[in-house]
Amino acid sequence: MSSVVASGQWVLPESPYALWVRGELDEYLWLPERLQVEVIGGEFVVTPYPPVNHALMLSDMKEWLFRAEFRKEGFPWQVVQRVGVDLAEIGDGYCPDLVVVTAEVDLLARAEDRYLRPDEISLVAEVTAYPSAHTGRRPVSGKATKWSGYARCGVPYYLLVDRDPRQPGVTLFGDPNKAEATYQVMGEWKFGDAVRLPEPFDAEIRTDAWRSWG
């Protein structure tokens, strides 16, 4: 059974973003719980939840960041998985695979029932999954993606783990240009390499067990 990504326009009482940020978009779309909905480029995008291999790669990232925290006294970062990010500036709402925030942001967010804001995120990571991989990459046809959305809102670092068998690997983007909604490439690695996150993170992520979806 193949997976299908649905994206587009709908007859809704308000914009997809307005409904998403209030947690009501799923209800209007009559979505089952096993599907995830995001607003990318002003349109809703519905995708199946990812498979086990995808989740294990996220666990690997979290473990290696935890090891960095264990090694360094006063390590200021916290890792959060599957959290909503409200990009109010562009009217989008994402659910990234993993975000890295400061301990200060972590404590603040725990006290409030809300989504994270882009200015609270130090690094965001996305792992591509079939068939929605294009939504995490840089745009190729002028249509906005999460890559351009994160850049437009000034998220400092974007770590993209691409599992597409035609181009598997890891790319770290940084130095966002908000006006042009673009990033610079800060590092590229193949699966099996040690991904080295630069300062201020100064952490290593091993990818020996990572595989493409093919």
Side-chain angles (χ1 to χ4, degrees), residues 81-101:
Q81 292 180 242
R82 314 298 296 176
V83 64
V85 175
D86 181 3
L87 294 86
E89 181 179 347
I90 59 173
D92 277 7
Y94 305 159
C95 186
D97 288 314
L98 181 148
V99 297
V100 178
V101 300

Side-chain angles (χ1 to χ4, degrees), residues 52-71:
V52 174
N53 284 343
H54 185 285
L56 291 174
M57 294 168 85
L58 295 174
S59 294
D60 287 345
M61 280 191 269
K62 191 170 184 178
E63 178 184 349
W64 283 98
L65 287 166
F66 175 77
R67 292 188 183 191
E69 178 181 4
F70 185 77
R71 287 197 321 269

Side-chain angles (χ1 to χ4, degrees), residues 61-169:
M61 280 191 269
K62 191 170 184 178
E63 178 184 349
W64 283 98
L65 287 166
F66 175 77
R67 292 188 183 191
E69 178 181 4
F70 185 77
R71 287 197 321 269
K72 300 178 182 178
E73 184 176 354
F75 191 77
W77 312 107
Q78 295 286 346
V79 181
V80 185
Q81 292 180 242
R82 314 298 296 176
V83 64
V85 175
D86 181 3
L87 294 86
E89 181 179 347
I90 59 173
D92 277 7
Y94 305 159
C95 186
D97 288 314
L98 181 148
V99 297
V100 178
V101 300
T102 63
E104 179 180 334
V105 168
D106 176 69
L107 290 174
L108 179 64
R110 286 176 187 270
E112 303 176 20
D113 187 14
R114 61 172 176 83
Y115 296 128
L116 284 175
R117 300 188 304 267
D119 64 345
E120 296 177 312
I121 296 174
S122 300
L123 178 146
V124 62
E126 298 277 5
V127 179
T128 64
Y130 180 82
S132 61
H134 64 283
T135 64
R137 301 181 185 130
R138 71 181 75 194
V140 294
S141 61
K143 191 172 183 178
T145 65
K146 296 168 82 170
W147 184 92
S148 59
Y150 288 130
R152 176 79 69 187
C153 293
V155 174
Y157 290 97
Y158 177 39
L159 186 68
L160 178 63
V161 180
D162 202 333
R163 298 186 62 213
D164 190 330
R166 297 170 298 181
Q167 52 186 45

Side-chain angles (χ1 to χ4, degrees), residues 36-49:
Q36 171 183 286
V37 62
E38 299 174 285
V39 179
I40 304 174
E43 296 185 347
F44 70 81
V45 176
V46 181
T47 56
Y49 278 110

